[in-house]
Amino acid sequence: MRILVTITACMLLSAMLFSSACERAQPEPGSTKQTVDAIHLSILEQSSKELGWKGILSLAPFPAESDKDTTLTLRLTDPHGTAIEGARVRFTLFMPLMDMGKEEVEATIAGNGIYVGKGVFSMDGIWLVQADIERGNQKGVLEFEIHVNVP
């Protein structure tokens, strides 16, 4: 009987820890979560404080390299996971710690809430990719930190 109680307690504790880990896996509004998928694209998640939308940014190639074209792919969804269609997305690439100028890229609509643009990180270092989003009278900003040849 004691073994059964111990096993049950361990299973409950494991379930609670797993559930807690899953809840924390969602990015907080304004925070960035980074993972790498099976085809080696960087995946960065960000939630818009203004709109409540979630943006997932992918970079190709990954890791990003200086002085090379980088494809920026942003997938926008509402809090329920429904694709955000018909938005205007403009990417701005800049270094927050050094004035290297800004590169602005107008994204094209690829469908299913996906917006694509190409930009160049002009040097190694920490960059921000700011996605300015407009749809009708709704406006929001997502900001993603990108490490270009920075360990």
Side-chain angles (χ1 to χ4, degrees), residues 33-37 41-45 56-59 62:
K33 176 184 150 193
Q34 181 174 7
T35 57
V36 177
D37 72 7
L41 297 176
S42 172
I43 306 293
L44 300 159
E45 291 183 25
I56 299 174
L57 181 69
S58 302
L59 304 176
F62 178 77

Side-chain angles (χ1 to χ4, degrees), residues 84-116:
I84 302 294
E85 295 288 341
R88 178 177 179 233
V89 175
R90 184 177 48 255
F91 297 113
T92 304
L93 288 61
F94 63 97
M95 294 185 88
L97 302 175
M98 187 181 303
D99 184 11
M100 292 301 297
K102 295 181 179 184
E103 180 173 1
E104 294 188 358
V105 178
E106 193 73 31
T108 58
I109 298 172
N112 198 28
I114 297 173
Y115 302 85
V116 180

Side-chain angles (χ1 to χ4, degrees), residues 6-32:
T6 303
I7 291 173
T8 303
C10 288
M11 290 174 64
L12 285 172
L13 180 61
S14 295
M16 287 173 24
L17 290 172
F18 179 75
S19 174
S20 175
C22 289
E23 287 173 12
R24 279 182 282 187
Q26 299 300 319
E28 292 293 320
S31 68
T32 301

